[in-house]
Amino acid sequence: MARLIDDTGSRLLETAKLLFGHSDFSDALGAEIRRNGGTDRAVQALLREFRLGEHAQREHIGGYRDAPSAPTPSFPIWRTLMIGGKTKKVLIAEMKSKGFKIGDCARRMLDKEAFTTLPEPRELTLVRPTVAKLGFAEGGTTADIWARAKALGLRLCLAEVGPRLRLVDADQAKGGGYWIGMETITDSDDSPHIFKVGHDDNGRWLCSCVAWPGVRWYPDERLVFTASGKPA
C-alpha cells in the first residue's frame, strides 16, 4: 500500500476504504496524493482510481463535487519595477556607485552567461508573498513553492529583477531581506542559486542563497514573483 504522508491523505484512505470497499491503493494513487496535496485533488484521484462515473460520485461522496472549493489566495501588488535597457556592467557599476555591496556568489552569478538583461525597457508588476501565503503553513521546498506560484498565476522573475530591486530599494529596513523567485543560476561548484536582496549590520546587499529543489523555506520568508500578465 502506498504510504500517505499527511493527515488529509490518511483520512481519505480510511474514508475510501469504507465508502468503496477497497482494501488497497495503487502506488500511482499514493504518489498523486503526495504530489498534489489538497483534499479536492486527492479526492479526484480517488474517483479516477475506482473509475466512478458522475452518478456514482454523487452517490458515494454526498455531492462533494458541488461543495465550494477553497478560495484562491490573492496577492497585493508590492511594487512596479522598470527593467531592461541597461547592460549587466552598467547595473554592477550603479550598485557600486550607490554604496550597495555585492556578495561573492552574487557577483559570480552576474558574470555568468545565464544572467542577461532585456535590451528594451519594460515595466513589471511584482508581488512579495510569504511562503505561508503561498499555501505552505509549515514551510515548503523550492520545487513545491515554484510550482505552486505558477499554479496560482504568478511567474518566475527574470534574473535582472535582483540587481534592479537592489538599486531601487534604497530604504530597505535592516533584517527585511527577501529572495527572488527565479530560474536558478549555477555557481562554480554547480550549486543552484537565486538572488537575495538584504540589509544587515554591514550594509545593504545583493547576495545569494542556494536553492536546490529540495531546500526547505520557512513559512515567514518572502519571495518576489512577477504578477500574471505579459510573460517576462
Side-chain angles (χ1 to χ4, degrees):
M1 181 181 296
R3 178 175 178 267
L4 303 179
I5 62 173
D6 59 16
D7 289 339
T8 298
S10 297
R11 291 195 299 272
L12 284 167
L13 174 65
E14 295 304 318
T15 301
K17 282 184 184 179
L18 294 173
L19 290 177
F20 303 123
H22 287 258
S23 61
D24 234 353
F25 279 69
S26 70
D27 289 342
L29 173 62
E32 184 163 359
I33 292 177
R34 288 196 300 274
R35 184 171 61 253
N36 292 327
T39 306
D40 183 70
R41 297 289 294 276
V43 166
Q44 295 309 311
L46 291 172
L47 296 174
R48 287 194 297 273
E49 176 81 2
F50 302 122
R51 297 179 176 82
L52 294 175
E54 178 70 19
H55 174 75
Q57 289 176 22
R58 294 183 182 279
E59 178 180 348
H60 285 290
I61 61 176
Y64 174 84
R65 286 168 59 90
D66 294 332
S69 58
T72 300
S74 60
F75 305 104
I77 300 304
W78 176 51
R79 72 188 310 154
T80 57
L81 179 73
M82 290 299 301
I83 66 171
K86 294 182 179 181
T87 66
K88 65 171 73 179
K89 289 184 178 180
V90 170
L91 293 179
I92 292 170
E94 288 186 0
M95 284 188 284
K96 289 182 175 179
S97 68
K98 294 183 178 182
F100 296 121
K101 301 179 184 299
I102 304 175
D104 291 341
C105 181
R107 180 53 194 261
R108 291 193 295 272
M109 291 170 65
L110 293 169
D111 289 339
K112 291 273 191 174
E113 290 185 4
F115 178 85
T116 60
T117 61
L118 292 180
E120 300 295 332
R122 180 185 300 175
E123 184 178 71
L124 301 179
T125 301
L126 304 178
V127 297
R128 194 180 62 163
T130 63
V131 170
K133 182 66 174 177
L134 287 165
F136 300 95
E138 304 299 324
T141 66
T142 304
D144 288 341
I145 293 168
W146 269 219
R148 179 68 59 80
K150 292 176 182 178
L152 293 173
L154 304 178
R155 299 180 186 275
L156 295 183
C157 295
L158 291 176
E160 183 182 349
V161 168
R164 287 285 189 169
L165 281 174
R166 178 63 289 164
L167 285 167
V168 301
D169 199 1
D171 298 324
Q172 182 184 23
K174 187 180 294 185
Y178 49 89
W179 292 261
I180 310 303
M182 54 180 275
E183 296 288 352
T184 59
I185 297 177
T186 56
D187 197 3
S188 55
D189 62 355
D190 289 331
S191 58
H193 286 251
I194 61 174
F195 286 121
K196 178 184 178 182
V197 180
H199 182 188
D200 61 17
D201 291 338
N202 296 314
R204 293 181 173 88
W205 291 79
L206 177 69
C207 45
S208 71
C209 73
V210 176
W212 291 104
V215 165
R216 291 196 66 82
W217 296 78
Y218 291 111
D220 61 346
E221 290 180 316
R222 290 188 177 274
L223 291 152
V224 177
F225 294 98
T226 303
S228 59
K230 183 179 180 180

